[in-house]
Amino acid sequence: SYVLTQPPSVSVAPGKTARITCGGNNIGSKSVHWYQQKPGQAPVLVIYYDSDRPSGIPERFSGSNSGNTATLTISRVEAGDEADYYCQVWDSSSDHPNYVFGTGTKVTVL
Amino acid sequence: EVQLVESGGGLVQPGGSLRLSCAASGFTFSSYWMHWVRQAPGKGLVWVSRINSDGSSTSYADSVKGRFTISRDNAKNTLYLQMNSLRAEDTAVYYCARAEYGGGPYFDYWGQGTLVTVSS
């Protein structure tokens, strides 16, 4: 089955840039989506189709995807960005298509 | 405003059953494929099941296949998850989510979740 690997944690100072990676075999050939989840809350979509932002999501959130790594970038980090972030793809490569989530990354704002 | 509201969670003994519901509003429910995603305490998100817009096609994660059944009532704008033969490892918050399909499906709206605890 397809595996998406994320770093367990990323720490960043306010105002700086956080980069969260999502590694997968030839992930650049897939559409990658990103979710933000704050403690006790449901996930919220922040990036879809690698780099598109839903309405209401700040421009500080951006995404890219190439080769074996997709990246979520949060610019000018704010305290309110502290959350868990998950990448997600649809893997149709096997005989049992699956909706795969990454292992999750906890972003801590110092 | 799109709203998804889950209900039906609770404490159940191993081997027991539970039915979750997800009431949808603010969009044309019958036009969307719907999913269940779960999250064990302190763990990540795991896809559980999906159903197409008219209910004629379903799919399940291997971990729940044969034990869980997803269904929907488009007249009532409600999604269901019937969970049988529950195990301790099914303990999780269960979210219903609306999916957008195009270049690759993603979940654009989520409910607040309902907690299922399987324990004796």
Side-chain angles (χ1 to χ4, degrees), chain B residues 3 9-11 25 39 66 116 120:
Chain B
Q3 283 199 322
L11 175 63
S25 61
Q39 186 171 36
V116 173
S120 55

Side-chain angles (χ1 to χ4, degrees), chain A:
Chain A
S1 62
Y2 195 76
V3 176
L4 294 174
T5 302
Q6 300 179 234
S9 62
V10 167
S11 297
V12 58
K16 300 300 185 182
T17 298
R19 293 180 179 84
I20 305 161
T21 58
C22 175
N25 184 35
N26 197 26
I27 195 174
S29 67
K30 304 181 183 298
S31 292
V32 179
H33 320 295
W34 291 91
Y35 304 88
Q36 175 194 69
Q37 186 180 33
K38 296 181 179 180
Q41 297 184 20
V44 172
L45 179 72
V46 294
I47 292 288
Y48 64 102
Y49 294 154
D50 298 342
S51 59
D52 289 345
R53 273 187 320 277
S55 61
I57 300 301
E59 292 183 6
R60 301 184 296 103
F61 288 83
S62 62
S64 63
N65 183 21
S66 178
N68 292 318
T69 305
T71 303
L72 173 68
T73 301
I74 311 173
S75 304
R76 303 180 299 282
V77 165
E78 302 175 356
D81 298 331
E82 191 163 281
D84 293 327
Y85 292 83
Y86 296 90
C87 55
Q88 177 251 316
V89 302
W90 182 62
D91 174 40
S92 60
S93 60
S94 69
D95 58 357
H96 186 53
N98 195 12
Y99 304 82
V100 182
F101 288 94
T103 49
T105 298
K106 181 176 181 58
V107 170
T108 299
V109 181
L110 301 172

Side-chain angles (χ1 to χ4, degrees), chain B residues 25-102:
Chain B
S25 61
F27 66 103
T28 305
F29 180 71
S30 59
S31 296
Y32 286 86
W33 292 31
M34 297 295 295
H35 296 247
W36 289 98
V37 176
R38 70 183 180 184
Q39 186 171 36
K43 303 297 184 180
L45 301 170
V46 177
W47 175 78
V48 173
S49 182
R50 69 97 179 131
I51 188 167
N52 69 345
S53 55
D54 67 5
S56 62
S57 173
T58 59
S59 181
Y60 300 91
D62 288 343
S63 58
V64 307
K65 196 175 300 182
R67 300 187 299 122
F68 290 13
T69 302
I70 190 172
S71 63
R72 64 192 297 160
D73 185 335
N74 285 344
K76 295 183 177 179
N77 290 341
T78 303
L79 174 73
Y80 303 101
L81 186 67
Q82 177 67 43
M83 304 186 296
N84 298 331
S85 303
L86 282 162
R87 307 166 179 167
E89 54 265 37
D90 295 319
T91 294
V93 174
Y94 285 74
Y95 296 99
C96 66
R98 189 181 87 167
E100 277 285 1
Y101 283 76

